[in-house]
Amino acid sequence: MVIKGFKGLAAAGMLLLGACGIAYQSPSVNPLGGGDTKVRVLRITPESAIVANRAGYAPKELPSIFFNTAGGGAVQPGGGAAPAPVVDYQNRPSSMQTRVPPAPNEGPYRIGVGDVLLLATPQIGSTVEQLTGLLAAANSRQGYTVQDDGAIAIPHVGRVPVSGSTLEEAENTLFQRLVETDIEPTFSLEVAEFNSKKVSIGGAVQNPSVAPITLTPLYLDEALAAAGGVNAADLDYASVRIYRDGTIYQIPLDALYSNRSLARVQLTDGDVVFVDTAYELDRAQAYFEERIRLAEFRQGARIAALNELNAEVGLRRGALGEARDNYMTRLELDSVDRDYVYLTGEVDSQARYALPFGRTASLADALYENGGVPTQTGNVREIYVLRGSPDPREFGAITAWQLDGRDAASFLLATRFEMRPNDVIFVAEQPVTRWSRVISQITPSLVTYAASAASN
């Protein structure tokens, strides 16, 4: 009798609540729409996801300050006129000694400041061009000068330190930087201009000049040939003097021409070769001092220019950092125009999801950024993306893209379904959840109604 009485009481209470206009309301997607709203429900399938993703959308980009680098141009070293050589006649000795410099202990060529590296990357052409062979072995080739900080500046990659590296080590460094910046690491690297290691040749030669040291060793006879050869009629007291690391070495010309091994003396970076036609040691010494002073002067100018460049880069970096901090502050204060997606219904938290800069976001990104779908209360069968028509004349036309998540594999589609600004993600509640909430809300009213009826 008690059960029957309670059932009758519950029925009477529900009739009473209904009569009073009190009922539990929960949101849902109504395909029939309501009023001026027209809702079209479409299942999310691989094909329909492609159709939905065709909706035009250009993600907002970060300001250019986030892509700019402090950079810095090439340092232009200073220079000046070489000091005039000092000539003082000396009596000739009875014979000339041969003092040969030691063989330099050099390994593979190491890249230095001033060298020009040639970076070749494959060109991308049409299929027709590739089939006809018009692009066979075609590369995009760009030269980069090693600047005074020892790095080359490559667009979209940044500054890559290469000074002091062998060509193989530089290729490895560049490969890692391209991988880090998500650029296809297919390239070739070679030294196009050798400007960092040089040997000066002066004195009685046809064309006093500076010979570069390249990937192959530079020998004395090759350096003299590069300067046009020796211009001396009397070989008795003519000699080749080599200044290296504070020491002067001497090879008489007649010994040079008669001994092949002397002609193949290997030269190294910084050597100064001077050909004397008479025994005038002070003249050679003046030439050596001239080269040393000129190198010191240029080095000082390089250091001053590099300090100036570092100061300028520091100022640029500070300005960029301040501009970026100001933008981030505006972002925190919500004063930056952003695109949002809104989450409602049975989601972990009712929220808005800011679409990222520079790329599109998927349904899975928006859902799981906010905790996903609570499986106890959310109906995984009814996950909707509500998208209005872009035509303002069709404001009430809404497409509800439905994801049925009963099969877990369906959530893979959520990673491919792209979001658009002002999309609304709605997750319906479980039927049992709706009934549980109805019971929890009407039970206090039934108890009050039963108590009132009992008292009467």
Side-chain angles (χ1 to χ4, degrees):
M1 295 297 295
V2 175
I3 295 176
K4 291 182 179 180
F6 180 77
K7 287 184 177 179
L9 186 62
M14 293 181 69
L15 289 173
L16 177 62
L17 292 174
C20 296
I22 302 174
Y24 174 76
Q25 301 290 335
S26 62
S28 62
V29 174
N30 184 3
L32 300 178
D36 296 330
T37 302
K38 301 176 182 178
V39 180
R40 180 179 60 165
V41 179
L42 297 176
R43 289 280 302 275
I44 296 180
T45 63
E47 293 75 17
S48 64
I50 294 175
V51 174
N53 293 343
R54 288 175 182 169
Y57 171 57
K60 294 186 182 299
E61 296 288 345
L62 284 169
S64 60
I65 54 174
F66 286 92
F67 303 96
N68 294 340
T69 58
V75 177
Q76 299 297 328
V86 179
V87 179
D88 185 16
Y89 180 80
Q90 291 183 347
N91 293 325
R92 297 183 178 185
S94 57
S95 64
M96 300 185 66
Q97 295 180 350
T98 300
R99 296 187 299 273
V100 181
N105 184 19
E106 293 186 342
Y109 182 83
R110 294 194 174 273
I111 299 168
V113 174
D115 287 345
V116 176
L117 302 185
L118 190 63
L119 177 63
T121 55
Q123 285 185 344
I124 305 300
S126 67
T127 303
V128 175
E129 291 174 331
Q130 293 173 351
L131 291 176
T132 56
L134 295 179
L135 293 181
N139 287 331
S140 174
R141 301 165 69 86
Q142 180 67 44
Y144 299 96
T145 301
V146 181
Q147 301 177 7
D148 273 35
D149 61 351
I152 56 176
I154 303 177
H156 308 298
V157 176
R159 305 187 70 80
V160 181
V162 294
S163 181
S165 303
T166 65
L167 196 57
E168 182 179 0
E169 292 170 347
E171 288 176 343
N172 293 336
T173 301
L174 181 56
F175 181 88
Q176 294 296 330
R177 290 295 296 273
L178 292 177
V179 171
E180 292 171 0
T181 51
D182 295 330
I183 297 177
E184 174 64 31
T186 302
F187 66 93
S188 65
L189 190 68
E190 60 184 89
V191 183
E193 297 180 19
F194 298 87
N195 300 320
S196 62
K197 297 175 177 56
K198 302 174 182 178
V199 172
S200 299
I201 306 104
V205 291
Q206 193 70 28
N207 299 306
S209 59
V210 176
I213 295 179
T214 63
L215 297 177
T216 57
L218 178 64
Y219 296 100
L220 180 58
D221 59 345
E222 296 172 347
L224 294 174
V230 176
N231 187 14
D234 183 6
L235 302 183
D236 290 340
Y237 288 95
S239 65
V240 176
R241 294 192 174 96
I242 302 172
Y243 177 84
R244 179 186 297 173
D245 297 333
T247 303
I248 297 177
Y249 302 93
Q250 177 178 278
I251 302 176
L253 272 180
D254 55 354
L256 180 68
Y257 291 148
S258 61
N259 189 338
R260 175 63 179 170
S261 63
L262 295 178
R264 300 301 290 174
V265 169
Q266 183 177 346
L267 302 177
T268 187
D269 181 35
D271 280 357
V272 179
V273 178
F274 187 88
V275 179
D276 266 346
T277 57
Y279 189 76
E280 297 173 352
L281 186 58
D282 285 351
R283 182 182 176 190
Q285 182 178 356
Y287 179 77
F288 297 147
E289 290 177 354
E290 168 193 321
R291 306 309 302 180
I292 294 172
R293 290 174 185 172
L294 183 58
E296 290 176 348
F297 180 77
R298 287 177 174 170
Q299 182 63 23
R302 282 180 180 272
I303 294 174
L306 185 59
N307 290 336
E308 182 179 350
L309 175 64
N310 289 336
E312 181 181 355
V313 170
L315 291 174
R316 293 180 187 175
R317 185 175 290 116
L320 286 174
E322 183 178 1
R324 292 167 183 169
D325 291 341
N326 290 340
Y327 184 83
M328 295 304 296
T329 300
R330 291 180 55 209
L331 202 60
E332 294 175 0
L333 297 175
D334 202 15
S335 64
V336 176
D337 185 25
R338 297 291 301 272
D339 291 327
Y340 293 98
V341 168
Y342 302 88
L343 294 94
T344 186
E346 294 300 319
V347 291
D348 189 69
S349 62
Q350 311 280 324
R352 66 178 184 177
Y353 169 71
L355 293 179
F357 291 104
R359 66 176 182 86
T360 58
S362 68
L363 172 58
D365 292 331
L367 273 177
Y368 294 102
E369 180 74 15
N370 291 273
V373 179
T375 55
Q376 289 186 344
T377 59
N379 188 352
V380 293
R381 181 182 179 182
E382 297 187 42
I383 301 174
Y384 297 94
V385 176
L386 306 178
R387 181 173 298 173
S389 172
D391 190 344
R393 294 169 298 180
E394 299 179 359
F395 180 77
I398 298 173
T399 301
W401 301 92
Q402 180 185 1
L403 177 67
D404 188 347
R406 288 177 297 177
D407 182 358
S410 300
F411 281 97
L412 184 61
L413 293 173
T415 66
R416 301 177 181 176
F417 189 94
E418 296 178 2
M419 305 307 297
R420 295 292 182 262
N422 299 321
D423 280 354
V424 176
I425 299 174
F426 170 74
V427 181
E429 60 186 349
Q430 294 271 21
V432 67
T433 301
R434 183 182 298 110
W435 174 247
S436 174
R437 288 171 177 169
V438 170
I439 296 300
S440 64
Q441 292 187 27
I442 68 172
T443 298
S445 300
L446 290 176
V447 172
T448 301
Y449 177 79
S452 175
S455 64
N456 294 329

